[in-house]
Amino acid sequence: MRDLRSLETVIWVVRLGGFRAAAARLNTTQSAVSARVAQLEQELGIRIFQRGARVTLTAEGSALLRYAEQMVDLREEMLRAIADPAAMRGLLRIGISETLAHTLLPRLVQRIGAAHPGIVLDMVVDITPALRQHLVAGHIDIAMLAGTVDDPRAVNQPLCSYPLGWLASPGLGLPDRPLRLSELTRWPILSFSHDTEVSAALRGLFADAGVPGVRLWGSTSIATMAELARAGVCISVVQLVAAERDLAEGRLRRLEVEDVALPDVGFHVAYIRKPDSHVAATIAALARDLAGAPD
């Protein structure tokens, strides 16, 4: 075989479940994908796929896939080790949680622009469950999210962690002393959407506290949480780092609640190991460096 292109094509056909999807991912035609596979079959003297309602690997094809993935991974390792960073080109689709969009993203974008001017960025800010789905489906190339991505192809690396805090408007007139959760039940407690791990953890903490009447609301937007807290509509539970300006300028105050210990929220950077994951792996390492993540 002249290069790794045919092996990469086989990998994409398997991972995306068909020739048409592989062709779309490789920016070519379905007939070109078929031709690459046919040429590889002819060179090796085997059948790689069983054609039918679903494309499945033959026994020989399964053995080939293992070697193909090893060869492509080795090439990716080589590129990470010796390639000129300025030579990286192409579109990188980044998915990021709102907390990190306020803290890490500006510095990351600046560093990418300086070190890798050939990379074009497409960014989406969303909640963690959506980011997981986008990454696994191939709609984004790299995700920076709370928690990890549970997929055998995923590379998950620790990024940073931030403490949660209770935020309220000074206009609520709450005492300047440690409070009990029961003193807050007059207002809804607003935090992240109910399908997030943070919301699930809070529900568990409130249940353990045994305080009746706690109303836990959810939102996908930290800006909305802060706005409603400033308006005195609710008490918000968010990462304190996202509210530093409001706290410094007195628009919000931090409450101390003595019967519920809020957890820190750990963030990870994740990408799917695949034939073209070299750029994602490089940017993941850059993000971890900026976030001060341990090696």
Side-chain angles (χ1 to χ4, degrees):
M1 64 195 72
R2 291 171 296 177
D3 53 40
L4 295 180
R5 186 176 63 174
S6 296
L7 294 178
E8 290 178 340
T9 300
V10 170
I11 293 172
W12 281 118
V13 170
V14 173
R15 289 186 173 174
L16 298 179
F19 284 54
R20 179 180 299 175
R25 184 64 180 80
L26 295 169
N27 196 29
T28 188
T29 63
Q30 188 172 344
S31 60
V33 169
S34 297
R36 292 179 194 177
V37 173
Q39 180 184 8
L40 187 57
E41 288 179 328
Q42 184 176 7
E43 290 180 9
L44 298 176
I46 63 170
R47 294 284 290 180
I48 299 173
F49 293 106
Q50 296 282 3
R51 273 69 166 185
R54 290 186 58 195
V55 176
T56 57
L57 287 166
T58 63
E60 295 83 359
S62 295
L64 171 68
L65 178 65
R66 291 194 296 272
Y67 286 108
E69 290 176 331
Q70 291 174 20
M71 293 173 70
V72 170
D73 285 347
L74 184 59
R75 185 192 65 177
E76 293 293 304
E77 182 180 333
M78 177 195 70
L79 291 173
R80 287 194 294 271
I82 67 173
D84 181 1
M88 291 185 184
R89 299 190 177 278
L91 176 67
L92 181 70
R93 301 165 299 174
I94 296 177
I96 192 164
S97 72
E98 189 180 0
T99 299
L100 297 179
H102 288 291
T103 56
L104 178 64
L105 187 60
R107 292 180 291 135
L108 179 61
V109 170
Q110 185 178 35
R111 182 73 69 86
I112 292 172
H116 310 287
I119 294 178
V120 177
L121 298 178
D122 186 18
M123 294 166 281
V124 58
V125 178
D126 213 329
I127 60 174
T128 287
L131 293 176
R132 286 195 184 103
Q133 294 173 6
H134 293 330
L135 186 66
V136 171
H139 298 153
I140 57 176
D141 302 304
I142 188 169
M144 301 179 199
L145 69 173
T148 59
V149 176
D150 185 16
D151 186 283
R153 304 166 299 156
V155 178
N156 292 284
Q157 298 172 327
L159 194 57
C160 57
S161 65
Y162 294 121
L164 291 170
W166 304 85
L167 303 178
S169 167
L172 295 185
L174 288 164
D176 187 17
R177 58 169 172 76
L179 302 168
R180 305 287 295 179
L181 182 59
S182 58
E183 296 179 85
L184 307 183
T185 56
R186 175 180 169 187
W187 300 274
I189 307 297
L190 177 60
S191 191
F192 295 90
S193 297
H194 283 70
D195 56 350
T196 63
E197 293 175 5
V198 174
S199 180
L202 291 176
R203 290 196 298 273
L205 289 171
F206 295 159
D208 292 342
V211 176
V214 177
R215 294 168 290 163
L216 181 59
W217 289 5
S219 172
T220 60
S221 169
I222 289 177
T224 298
M225 297 180 209
E227 179 65 29
L228 293 178
R230 287 193 298 266
V233 174
C234 63
I235 294 169
S236 289
V237 175
V238 299
Q239 287 92 353
L240 293 169
V241 69
E244 287 180 341
R245 179 174 296 181
D246 280 328
L247 290 168
E249 296 179 359
R251 291 188 294 269
L252 289 173
R253 57 169 290 203
R254 182 182 179 184
L255 306 179
E256 182 180 348
V257 179
E258 59 185 7
D259 50 347
V260 176
L262 297 176
D264 290 351
V265 179
F267 291 89
H268 286 72
V269 57
Y271 60 92
I272 299 297
R273 184 180 287 110
K274 54 188 180 181
D276 59 354
S277 62
H278 166 52
V279 174
T282 300
I283 300 307
L286 184 57
R288 297 187 73 238
D289 180 62
L290 287 171
D295 294 331

